[in-house]
Amino acid sequence: MNYTKNITKDFIKNKVLTLDLEVSETMIVWGLRHWTNAPKIDEDPRELFALCIEQHKLPDISVLFEELVNGITEGTLFKGVVGQEFCNHLHYGEFKVLETLYLLQNDQFNLANESLSGWLEANQARILLKILSALSVILEKSNLIIPPRKEYKTNWQPH
């Protein structure tokens, strides 16, 4: 049991925290990665994601993450926009999702739409804007606010 606790602590210390993200951002990045990578290793992403939902006292938002990942997969103009679960840097798609959520939580709808339109096909950008709008409200109600970052107001590319 202690061995498992040590592995978990090491993972959090060496993998998750190296991204230097706030709790809300870490949850989003982890959720994207988990929903992207779990099916590749024949796992049901809902099982582990249920713990995240419980920990943050959220309603069941798994369907939003499922649709978000499907939309990214179908509509992205680039490859590798979501990282592997143990990757210690931010990928382009993850950054753009965080940026869009930040913009939506701050009522900057036109900028949020522009953020998605630059890397997704038009129809998928429209669909993802709707999904992220719903997610942004749920996160805001649970006090999972995406913090302001200067990178969210530029064309900075993290990967």
Side-chain angles (χ1 to χ4, degrees):
M1 185 72 156
N2 285 338
Y3 179 71
T4 306
K5 282 185 179 180
N6 289 338
I7 291 172
T8 304
K9 285 180 183 178
D10 286 343
F11 170 71
I12 291 170
K13 179 181 173 190
N14 297 323
K15 301 294 182 189
V16 176
L17 297 180
T18 57
L19 291 173
D20 194 27
L21 301 175
E22 297 293 326
V23 171
S24 58
E25 295 168 306
T26 301
M27 190 205 75
I28 297 300
V29 171
W30 178 84
L32 288 171
R33 290 178 180 186
H34 181 67
W35 276 90
T36 300
N37 294 297
K40 294 177 185 176
I41 55 173
D42 208 27
E43 287 185 3
D44 181 4
R46 281 181 174 76
E47 290 176 14
L48 193 53
F49 197 71
L51 296 173
C52 178
I53 290 169
E54 183 180 319
Q55 178 184 3
H56 294 290
K57 296 178 178 64
L58 293 166
D60 186 358
I61 57 173
S62 58
V63 69
L64 295 176
F65 271 89
E66 182 175 25
E67 291 302 318
L68 182 59
V69 168
N70 289 339
I72 290 170
T73 302
E74 292 173 18
T76 187
L77 304 173
F78 308 106
K79 298 290 181 209
V81 296
V82 175
Q84 299 295 316
E85 286 191 85
F86 298 110
C87 187
N88 66 356
H89 61 277
L90 204 57
H91 284 248
Y92 188 69
E94 298 161 352
F95 168 77
K96 294 306 268 183
V97 167
L98 290 174
E99 176 183 58
T100 302
L101 285 169
Y102 166 78
L103 294 168
L104 289 168
Q105 285 183 339
N106 288 281
D107 301 325
Q108 298 175 1
F109 303 106
N110 289 336
L111 291 175
N113 188 41
E114 286 177 27
S115 177
L116 292 175
S117 297
W119 65 285
L120 293 168
E121 294 173 4
N123 190 49
Q124 288 305 111
R126 182 182 66 78
I127 292 168
L128 261 59
L129 183 63
K130 292 176 181 182
I131 293 168
L132 289 170
S133 292
L135 184 58
S136 72
V137 171
I138 293 168
L139 294 174
E140 195 172 324
K141 285 183 173 186
S142 296
N143 202 29
L144 290 168
I145 306 298
I146 305 299
R149 295 185 183 274
K150 65 179 183 243
E151 294 87 359
Y152 294 154
K153 299 171 186 147
T154 68
N155 289 326
W156 179 73
Q157 295 191 15
H159 190 257

